[in-house]
Amino acid sequence: MNTRITGHDLIALGYRQGKWMKEAIIYINENRLEDDALETYLEQFKSPDPIALHNTPIDFSINIKAENELEEDNVSKVINSMQTLMKTPTLVDGAIMPDACPAGPDGTIPVGGVAVAKNAIHPGMHSADICCSVMLTDFGNANPKDILDAAHANTHFGPGGRDRNTQFRFPKELLDAFKSNYFLNDGNMIQIARSHLGTQGDGNHFLFVGTSKKTGNTMMVTHHGSRGPGARLYTKGMKIAERFRKELSPETKKQNAWIPFDTEEGQSYWDALQVIRQWTKTNHEVLHNSVAETLEIAIENRYWNEHNFVFKDGDLFYHAKGATPLDAKFMPDITGPRLIPLNMSEPVLIVEGSTTQTNLGFAPHGAGRNVSRTQHRNSKTGTIMQIFKEETRGIDARFFSKEIDITELPSAYKNAKAVRAQMEEFGLGTVIDEVMPYGCIMAGDWQKNAPWKIRREKRKQTNNIS
């Protein structure tokens, strides 16, 4: 060999660029490999043939129907997106729920969708809000107003986390779990996990207080996900999945990239998801426990379920993007029935159910939306306060930021009665109790008076004076 092998030479021979190249080039040149010896050595680095998309979409169950003209457009978009999604080569089954709505470009799993993959984890199918979930605590005969007031004093909505003086204790077992995982063991991730514990974020996340229709007991329900830690894990997972997508299946849409479970990365990512799940459960618990401690009252019962997660059954991975698991096999720590919230003026449904061929072991996770926040906002007439009073009559509805967000009022969501009717029609769980609404807390329009906006306005005023 008269010349040294370079990366360009290997690419010209048909090999894909990767981390392996640097060491391979050194080895080849040091050992002066050429001809058959070179070919034999490089055989180990050959990329497999790209995995093609399914020629036609894998069949999926449609547990939704349009109740009016507005919903027809929504259902059509959901089905079209699901059909594109189901061409992803790892997928073997799927379903959509009555609360389904689009969540991105065509081919993106809709909210209210379930996609079943074989030996593959798709970070884009659980999205950044990993383990978005609901927890219920039964406070017996406590006064609902006392519960809501104590919760308001202890919870935290909006961006960012708690300052050092108001942080909850970070359990040692959780800290050890973060430190033992490749994806989670970094200083920034752990710092955010500490400060975000006991926070609920924004959007449709809430704290709801009501009374059991069956027993009259006062119950508190919280709804939120994994906050900063989950969002950071998702970002890391998407980067790893994209690397595999380029190597294994370039035709697959970027949002549907996957991490093969039988790889070191796949195993580590799966373990990281379980740690984030435990963090999120703890995030609910510290808020519920703080209310009990503040009021010095006993907790009579508690249960929870996630509705935005990846559930494993053998070599199948059920990606539930806004779907409530009915089947106990999906929840190793199941302690009670499942929770399905609808909107702030409707009951939180307490349900049980069994797996069928069409529900795949899942139920809806709420009421869903037919239109975007902007479309809903533009459709309303009257002042914000007028709209708020009309839609929250009879309940104690609060916004943590003290700014009303009309895109979280009941009219922003699908008709709750229609969702319940379709649950019954499609065999998606049986309602065994309802938490009748007393009041709730949501983030509200926190951006209206966000600190960065206030600073900007102050700078403008200073500049105008000068």
Side-chain angles (χ1 to χ4, degrees):
M1 182 185 294
N2 296 322
T3 58
R4 294 175 65 83
I5 283 285
T6 68
H8 292 296
D9 296 321
L10 296 182
I11 291 171
L13 289 172
Y15 293 90
R16 292 185 188 172
Q17 191 170 0
K19 292 180 178 180
W20 64 273
M21 268 196 181
K22 185 176 179 180
E23 289 185 9
I25 290 168
I26 293 172
Y27 183 86
I28 291 167
N29 289 322
E30 284 181 348
N31 292 276
R32 300 183 179 181
L33 300 183
E34 56 184 45
D35 300 331
D36 290 346
L38 175 63
E39 187 175 335
T40 300
Y41 173 73
L42 288 174
E43 189 71 28
Q44 64 185 303
F45 302 114
K46 274 190 174 179
S47 298
D49 291 335
I51 302 172
L53 299 176
H54 295 305
N55 290 326
T56 57
I58 297 295
D59 289 339
F60 59 95
S61 300
I62 301 174
N63 302 296
I64 186 175
K65 66 180 183 181
E67 301 281 349
N68 52 53
E69 189 175 335
L70 183 64
E71 290 190 355
E72 286 178 4
D73 180 61
N74 174 74
V75 171
S76 176
K77 287 177 180 175
V78 165
I79 292 175
N80 288 342
S81 193
M82 197 72 179
Q83 286 175 333
T84 303
L85 172 84
M86 295 306 293
K87 289 185 177 182
T88 305
T90 57
L91 299 187
V92 297
D93 207 345
I96 48 178
M97 299 290 146
D99 55 338
C101 54
D106 181 57
T108 302
I109 187 171
V111 174
V114 179
V116 187
K118 189 166 186 177
N119 276 322
I121 305 173
H122 295 257
M125 295 186 194
H126 61 56
S127 72
D129 198 13
I130 299 173
C131 202
C132 190
S133 46
V134 277
M135 177 174 283
L136 177 148
T137 293
D138 185 338
F139 287 111
N141 63 0
N143 185 316
K145 184 178 186 306
D146 291 343
I147 298 294
L148 191 64
D149 287 344
H152 201 157
N154 285 286
T155 191
H156 179 291
F157 282 92
R162 293 174 176 268
D163 60 42
R164 285 186 176 275
N165 295 325
T166 59
Q167 286 179 15
F168 289 96
R169 186 186 72 83
F170 196 72
K172 184 180 183 301
E173 59 271 22
L174 259 184
L175 179 60
D176 291 343
F178 270 78
K179 288 182 175 180
S180 66
N181 183 271
Y182 165 77
F183 286 97
L184 305 177
N185 186 25
D186 73 65
N188 188 46
M189 174 79 84
I190 292 172
Q191 185 275 323
I192 290 170
R194 287 183 185 276
S195 67
H196 281 208
L197 193 65
T199 70
Q200 296 194 247
D202 57 7
N204 65 348
H205 299 146
F206 63 75
L207 190 153
F208 179 101
V209 175
T211 54
S212 163
K213 189 175 184 179
K214 182 181 289 187
T215 67
N217 285 1
T218 296
M219 296 173 166
M220 184 176 99
V221 179
T222 48
H223 171 224
H224 52 76
S226 51
R227 306 285 288 115
R232 279 157 179 76
L233 176 61
Y234 162 76
T235 299
K236 291 183 177 184
M238 286 300 289
K239 287 180 180 177
I240 299 292
E242 175 62 8
R243 194 186 80 208
F244 279 110
R245 186 191 73 83
K246 289 178 178 178
E247 178 76 13
L248 300 176
S249 184
E251 286 187 332
T252 292
K253 288 181 175 292
K254 288 187 176 183
Q255 66 265 38
N256 297 329
W258 73 86
I259 305 174
F261 180 64
D262 57 3
T263 62
E264 184 178 348
E265 295 93 333
Q267 301 282 328
S268 184
Y269 192 74
W270 174 252
D271 291 342
L273 287 173
Q274 309 319 303
V275 176
I276 290 297
R277 181 181 188 270
Q278 186 56 48
W279 183 95
T280 308
K281 186 178 182 182
T282 304
N283 193 27
H284 285 281
E285 288 173 341
V286 295
L287 291 173
H288 288 243
N289 292 345
S290 71
V291 171
E293 290 164 7
T294 297
L295 298 175
E296 298 181 340
I297 55 176
I299 291 171
E300 296 203 2
N301 200 0
R302 174 177 290 166
Y303 36 88
W304 86 301
N305 62 263
E306 61 270 68
H307 51 223
N308 199 72
F309 200 59
V310 186
F311 304 89
K312 185 176 182 296
D313 181 25
D315 62 357
L316 297 181
F317 291 80
Y318 291 71
H319 299 76
K321 172 63 179 168
T324 301
L326 290 174
D327 199 318
K329 68 185 178 184
F330 294 135
M331 295 187 67
D333 53 359
I334 185 66
T335 58
R338 314 305 188 268
L339 304 167
I340 302 178
L342 296 168
N343 66 59
M344 65 173 66
S345 68
E346 292 284 342
V348 172
L349 307 181
I350 301 178
V351 305
E352 289 180 340
S354 56
T355 300
T356 68
Q357 188 174 353
T358 53
N359 71 24
L360 305 184
F362 291 87
H365 85 302
R369 297 175 185 267
N370 281 320
V371 297
S372 69
R373 291 175 186 272
T374 300
Q375 287 175 294
H376 173 262
R377 191 180 291 112
N378 292 339
S379 72
K380 308 303 289 183
T381 58
T383 67
I384 289 178
M385 184 54 70
Q386 287 172 337
I387 297 167
F388 171 74
K389 287 183 176 180
E390 175 65 26
E391 296 202 32
T392 61
R393 187 176 291 114
I395 59 174
D396 184 352
R398 310 177 186 183
F399 289 104
F400 196 77
S401 65
K402 298 183 173 61
E403 295 292 343
I404 296 168
D405 180 1
I406 63 170
T407 69
E408 286 301 336
L409 295 179
S411 63
Y413 290 89
K414 291 186 178 186
N415 182 279
K417 290 183 176 61
V419 172
R420 292 184 66 166
Q422 289 186 34
M423 283 177 60
E424 184 174 350
E425 178 179 349
F426 293 109
L428 305 174
T430 301
V431 178
I432 61 172
D433 195 4
E434 302 174 42
V435 186
M436 309 307 291
Y438 168 80
C440 74
I441 309 166
M442 302 188 78
D445 187 6
W446 60 267
Q447 296 187 65
K448 185 172 182 179
N449 292 313
W452 62 269
K453 283 191 175 183
I454 294 173
R455 288 195 296 269
R456 186 179 65 184
E457 289 301 317
K458 285 183 177 178
R459 284 196 299 270
K460 280 183 180 180
Q461 292 172 7
T462 302
N463 292 336
N464 290 337
I465 292 172
S466 59

